[in-house]
Amino acid sequence: MIFFKELFRNKEKKTVLNFITMLLIGVVLIILSNSFLKKNIGEEEDFSEKKNTEILTKQSDYASELEKKLESALSSVEGVGEVKVVLTLENTGEIVVAEDNSVDRSETSEGSSGEKRKTNNLKEENKKILLESNKPLVLQEIKPKIKGIVIIAKGGGSAAVKNSIIKAVQALLNIEANKIEVLKMK
């Protein structure tokens, strides 16, 4: 309190005005920086929601594309006839992005007359995703695993046709026979 009384008694009013001006500028800068930080956090949330929607769309497109290709291929086989394919995916797949990993380590060695003590400390591990045109740099995209397939075919009542369909699907998609079900179309 005494400091403020002496500050305002000072004959040099410019010093007091400069102090108050600097204080006000500091408060304004703090308020502005907080508002910018909140906008960036909101942008990150929007980005993650868009990514989730994009992943689900890609998964759906991947399943639809596989179904169409199988329908086209199987309908060309003798005795199969008209075909409808439904498949389910086990997961969403995986995208491997390029990362820059850095680890801060420190090593301390102490010793005296024959005794040595060595200490390793891992201080901090930093992972940064590498970007290309403001998008993560994708190294590899792993397609979703197929959980099961149901094939409905006009010729699905015949054991020979069922066996042909199962073998063809196994060869095309590299999945086990117990994940493939062939039914007769009505």
Side-chain angles (χ1 to χ4, degrees):
M1 198 69 159
I2 297 171
F3 171 74
F4 288 112
K5 285 181 182 178
E6 288 182 24
L7 186 65
F8 288 108
R9 281 188 188 163
N10 191 348
K11 292 185 179 181
E12 295 182 31
K13 298 275 183 176
K14 286 185 180 182
T15 306
V16 174
L17 289 175
N18 285 341
F19 176 73
I20 292 171
T21 305
M22 296 302 276
L23 186 66
L24 289 174
I25 290 173
V27 169
V28 169
L29 287 175
I30 290 172
I31 291 170
L32 287 176
S33 67
N34 282 340
S35 67
F36 284 120
L37 287 176
K38 287 179 184 176
K39 284 182 183 177
N40 289 340
I41 290 170
E43 288 172 5
E44 288 176 15
E45 290 172 0
D46 289 345
F47 180 74
S48 65
E49 286 178 23
K50 287 178 186 175
K51 276 294 183 191
N52 289 340
T53 305
E54 187 177 308
I55 288 170
L56 292 174
T57 304
K58 279 186 178 182
Q59 180 182 8
S60 176
D61 290 346
Y62 177 70
S64 297
E65 182 182 325
L66 275 179
E67 288 171 352
K68 286 177 186 173
K69 283 183 178 180
L70 279 174
E71 286 173 3
S72 174
L74 294 174
S75 64
S76 302
V77 175
E78 186 177 338
V80 175
E82 187 182 341
V83 178
K84 178 70 181 154
V85 176
V86 179
L87 65 86
T88 57
L89 301 175
E90 194 171 298
N91 56 25
T92 59
E94 184 179 343
I95 296 174
V96 180
V97 295
E99 292 182 342
D100 182 21
N101 296 329
S102 63
V103 178
D104 292 336
R105 296 176 190 236
S106 68
E107 190 173 305
T108 309
S109 296
E110 297 176 5
S112 63
S113 65
E115 289 184 31
K116 284 194 174 183
R117 192 177 99 183
K118 196 173 192 179
T119 307
N120 290 326
N121 291 328
L122 177 64
K123 288 184 178 179
E124 189 175 322
E125 186 173 339
N126 294 321
K127 288 186 178 183
K128 294 180 183 176
I129 296 175
L130 298 178
L131 300 176
E132 182 178 57
S133 302
N134 290 332
K135 293 182 181 179
L137 179 61
V138 177
L139 295 177
Q140 181 181 14
E141 188 172 342
I142 301 168
K143 296 293 184 188
K145 284 184 85 175
I146 297 171
K147 190 174 189 177
I149 301 176
V150 173
I151 299 165
I152 305 163
K154 286 267 186 188
S158 165
V161 172
K162 272 187 178 183
N163 194 26
S164 298
I165 291 173
I166 291 171
K167 284 185 178 182
V169 172
Q170 280 183 301
L172 288 170
L173 301 177
N174 194 26
I175 62 170
E176 299 86 29
N178 65 342
K179 294 184 177 184
I180 305 167
E181 187 63 41
V182 179
L183 305 170
K184 183 178 181 181
M185 188 179 285
K186 61 176 178 176

